[in-house]
Amino acid sequence: PTPGAGAKATDRSPAVAVLDGDWKLLVNADGSGAELYDLRADAGESKNVAADHTAEAARLTKLAVAWRKSLPD
């Protein structure tokens, strides 16, 4: 994918995001690279807590991937 305006060619970011309450999940369209943030505790998204909250990360990843697959190509 081409970086958005202001992004550097070396910047990489997951392609899909899900917000659910205080949780924010960023993940690649294939389900890899999940990053989970607790926005109430970490509004600056500085600590990826996916490894500490594996069930929540898996649940939101499943939702994100299903949504992404539902989009037209």
Side-chain angles (χ1 to χ4, degrees), residues 18-23 25 36 53-66:
V18 173
L19 291 173
D20 183 33
D22 293 329
W23 295 114
L25 180 91
L36 181 67
H53 299 277
T54 55
E56 200 62 43
R59 180 182 75 83
L60 293 174
T61 295
K62 183 177 177 180
L63 287 174
V65 170

Side-chain angles (χ1 to χ4, degrees), residues 1 13-19 24-37 60-71:
S13 180
V16 182
V18 173
L19 291 173
K24 179 177 180 180
L25 180 91
L26 303 172
V27 67
N28 293 312
D30 65 0
S32 66
E35 298 175 18
L36 181 67
Y37 300 97
L60 293 174
T61 295
K62 183 177 177 180
L63 287 174
V65 170
W67 173 80
R68 179 61 184 95
K69 286 182 178 178
S70 75
L71 299 176

Side-chain angles (χ1 to χ4, degrees), residues 1-9 11-13:
T2 305
K8 298 176 189 166
D11 287 348
R12 295 181 191 205
S13 180

